[in-house]
Amino acid sequence: MRKVIFTFILCLISTVFINAQSLTNDKLSVSVDLGAGYLFGHSNLSSYGVNYRGEYKSGFSGNIKASYLLNKTFQAGFKFNLFSASENYDLTKGTQVTDDLELIYIAPQIGYRTIITEKWCLDCMAGAGYMHYQSKSLYSEAERKCKKGFIGANADLSLTRHLYKNLYMGANISVMGGHTSSLKESIEGEKETLKLDKWNRIKVIRADVMLSIKVLL
């Protein structure tokens, strides 16, 4: 459902430029990025522990971003990111777990915008904010839910080309990270807080590669 919402917003922003004015002095930018996120390093998204971290390698990732140009170069704004992935894997021989997870990230951003040429625009942004982890899994006919909020950080680089009026299209590359040493677990109504050691903690080190559509307002 959230992927459908992202796609709808992408189409909506693509039509906004029709009634907009010249891009010359526009300070507000709104963009939607859609693509894939790739885990690397010592990432672990499995609530079942480090032994299963290799099951998660990639997933869908989408951004909604807005920023305001403070002067000719520097800008400030915010970023909303959704990452989702689903995997099936064996915990014990002949017994499989089905796991769906999401990472939601919201953070203020600061950086700069550079108009390289009349056609090309470069945005470099960085920020830190709130990351929320949640997973739903089914194992031995029991539904298990885990969730936790923690601090995350990101750095984004967007290169976009002017298409028409105030519409730009290009690519966005982002690196994001964060970790938590505990999870709130719920199994069939029974709740518990899990303490995770340094090996089993949830750890996010992710690179996102996305198609970006940006509108200057």
Side-chain angles (χ1 to χ4, degrees), residues 2-3 5-6 9 30-34 60-67 77-84 102-109 129-132 134 154 156 172 174 176 206 208 210:
R2 289 186 175 91
K3 295 180 184 180
I5 294 174
F6 262 99
I9 295 174
V30 179
S31 63
V32 172
D33 312 324
L34 297 174
F60 166 83
S61 188
N63 294 325
I64 298 175
K65 300 184 294 186
S67 62
F78 78 90
K79 170 178 178 172
F80 171 86
N81 173 266
L82 169 68
F83 173 85
S84 64
E102 290 182 344
L103 283 169
I104 297 173
Y105 177 69
I106 303 173
Q109 304 287 297
Y130 177 77
M131 186 177 288
H132 183 79
Q134 58 186 28
N154 73 283
D156 285 41
N172 180 82
S174 175
M176 184 178 298
R206 199 180 81 230
D208 295 343
M210 305 177 182

Side-chain angles (χ1 to χ4, degrees), residues 16-45:
V16 169
F17 77 95
I18 295 176
N19 297 317
Q21 298 179 357
S22 172
L23 58 82
T24 305
N25 295 312
D26 297 322
K27 292 187 175 183
L28 178 65
S29 71
V30 179
S31 63
V32 172
D33 312 324
L34 297 174
Y38 301 93
L39 299 164
F40 63 95
H42 300 296
S43 292
N44 174 38
L45 294 187

Side-chain angles (χ1 to χ4, degrees), residues 9 12-32 64-70 75 78 113 115 121 123 162 164-168 213-217:
I9 295 174
L12 180 63
I13 290 180
S14 298
T15 62
V16 169
F17 77 95
I18 295 176
N19 297 317
Q21 298 179 357
S22 172
L23 58 82
T24 305
N25 295 312
D26 297 322
K27 292 187 175 183
L28 178 65
S29 71
V30 179
S31 63
V32 172
I64 298 175
K65 300 184 294 186
S67 62
Y68 185 80
L69 203 59
L70 302 175
Q75 59 184 346
F78 78 90
R113 179 199 303 172
I115 304 298
C121 178
D123 289 272
H162 177 225
Y164 179 69
K165 289 189 176 180
N166 64 333
L167 180 66
Y168 281 75
I213 291 184
K214 179 172 67 177
V215 177
L216 300 183
L217 303 173

Side-chain angles (χ1 to χ4, degrees), residues 128-163:
Y130 177 77
M131 186 177 288
H132 183 79
Y133 171 94
Q134 58 186 28
S135 72
K136 295 181 180 179
S137 59
L138 185 65
Y139 175 63
S140 296
E141 300 184 355
E143 186 178 80
R144 178 176 182 261
K145 298 179 181 179
C146 292
K147 62 181 181 179
K148 186 64 189 295
F150 50 96
I151 299 297
N154 73 283
D156 285 41
L157 179 66
S158 298
L159 180 63
T160 51
R161 188 181 191 277
H162 177 225
L163 297 181

